[in-house]
Amino acid sequence: MLAPIRLFQWLAMSVLVISAHALAADRPPEEKVPYRIVDGKVDESTYLGWRAYHSACHACHGVDAVGTAVAPSLVERVKSLSARDFTTKVLTSYRIVVPSSEAWGDDSTAVREAFLEEVLRRARGEVTMPAWEGATTMRPHVLDLYAYLRARADGALGPGKPQRIDE
């Protein structure tokens, strides 16, 4: 059995370690550039991102991700998103799902109003961003898509179809 002083020291050290870990988790890590461009040619991931974009996103967001009257510029939007935030948004943020705890809680009026507005937008035939979590062809390429859009957002990649490094 630990003596009271040793137990106190052990608990204090545990709290310090957990607190330091929690503080570090709150700070966004320096994200490395998710793409590689050499002599104007892109790596495989960025190229696959371009393909994924043009198979699922360009009809609404424009051929070069600069936006249309239907949907905003992803070149601008992705500038402020980490890979994790982007992935969460693309896979889950755009579906109409409200947990019952939010739909009937103390702050439920705003949640229900937002839900109702989204349902009415869809009923009026307005285009809404789908959640891609169930799309088996898109889900594996979300980080590739992020690499392509980040390269466009950073100005490292211009408009048009990129060439792969190995071509």
Side-chain angles (χ1 to χ4, degrees):
M1 182 168 150
L2 291 174
I5 292 176
R6 290 250 186 232
L7 180 60
F8 177 76
Q9 289 172 335
W10 181 83
L11 286 172
M13 184 60 84
S14 297
V15 168
L16 285 173
V17 168
I18 291 169
S19 298
H21 180 67
L23 286 173
D26 286 340
R27 277 185 247 126
E30 289 297 319
E31 190 172 292
K32 76 174 208 164
V33 176
Y35 53 84
R36 189 167 69 95
I37 299 176
V38 177
D39 297 327
K41 296 181 179 183
V42 300
D43 64 339
E44 185 69 13
S45 176
T46 305
Y47 182 80
L48 291 173
W50 175 85
R51 283 185 38 191
Y53 178 83
H54 282 83
S55 72
C57 312
H58 83 279
C60 294
H61 292 281
V63 174
D64 293 313
V66 294
T68 65
V70 174
S73 167
L74 295 180
V75 170
E76 290 302 316
R77 291 269 171 106
V78 82
K79 286 179 182 179
S80 62
L81 296 175
S82 67
R84 180 186 191 98
D85 293 340
F86 177 82
T87 300
T88 300
K89 265 196 183 313
V90 169
L91 294 180
T92 64
S93 291
Y94 299 101
R95 63 185 165 176
I96 300 180
V97 174
V98 178
S100 61
S101 62
E102 290 180 26
W104 304 110
D106 293 338
D107 298 327
S108 64
T109 302
V111 172
R112 284 196 310 269
E113 288 296 320
F115 179 81
L116 178 60
E117 181 56 35
E118 184 64 20
V119 170
L120 292 173
R121 283 184 64 212
R122 290 183 185 199
R124 291 188 300 258
E126 294 178 22
V127 176
T128 56
M129 173 77 183
W132 293 102
E133 69 184 332
T136 56
T137 57
M138 180 59 87
R139 195 174 52 228
H141 296 290
V142 172
L143 291 177
D144 299 331
L145 180 59
Y146 179 72
Y148 165 68
L149 292 171
R150 258 319 275 277
R152 292 280 294 124
D154 292 349
L157 182 63
K161 180 180 179 180
Q163 288 186 329
R164 286 183 273 189
I165 290 172
D166 62 339
E167 289 183 349

